[in-house]
Amino acid sequence: EDGWLCGTGSLLVRPDSEKINSPFLTTFLGTSIIKAWLSLNSVGSTMENLNATILGDIPIVCPQLPEQLAIVDYLDQKTAQIDTAISGIRQEIALLQEYRQALIFEAVTGKVDVREYA
């Protein structure tokens, strides 16, 4: 739901699966360039709204279907690598926080002499 555009109504988009891959279209529509375009072309002063005409005017880059599939596969692989790296870093942060707490406890209880570092 992060990044969803929401207005007073909803529009159902059904891409022609012989021309465009849905995950490719979803990724393309989620780019910062398209989000900025949608914001610039939205209507309404209190809340931004879109309509079928605005959605129909989105400038879509549409390579051939095999290339779309290759792009989606590549992005899925890279995203998985990034997710793995983030998970590893989060685990390292948690271990460092545990180590920090243990070190503070040992210093406070006198198990570690820290006077030479003062």
Side-chain angles (χ1 to χ4, degrees):
E1 297 171 357
D2 183 37
W4 280 17
L5 298 169
C6 184
T8 55
S10 297
L11 295 169
L12 176 63
V13 177
R14 287 191 187 149
D16 182 345
S17 62
E18 292 182 16
K19 295 180 181 177
I20 193 158
N21 174 265
S22 291
F24 174 83
L25 181 61
T26 301
T27 301
F28 180 78
L29 293 177
T31 62
S32 58
I33 292 171
I34 296 302
K35 287 180 182 181
W37 187 92
L38 289 169
S39 184
L40 287 171
N41 289 280
S42 65
V43 294
S45 56
T46 305
M47 183 170 74
E48 294 181 349
N49 282 287
L50 302 172
N51 56 42
T53 301
I54 294 170
L55 284 181
D57 289 341
I58 295 173
I60 296 178
V61 175
C62 191
Q64 295 297 316
L65 206 50
E67 188 174 353
Q68 293 175 39
L69 296 172
I71 290 168
V72 169
D73 286 343
Y74 175 81
L75 292 175
D76 286 346
Q77 290 173 14
K78 293 301 177 185
T79 301
Q81 290 173 356
I82 292 168
D83 289 344
T84 300
I86 289 170
S87 177
I89 291 168
R90 285 188 176 146
Q91 288 175 349
E92 289 177 18
I93 290 170
L95 287 174
L96 286 171
Q97 288 173 335
E98 287 178 30
Y99 177 69
R100 177 179 176 253
Q101 289 300 108
L103 191 58
I104 289 171
F105 176 77
E106 289 188 8
V108 169
T109 60
K111 293 180 181 178
V112 174
D113 186 6
V114 293
R115 288 178 291 187
E116 64 187 71
Y117 300 106

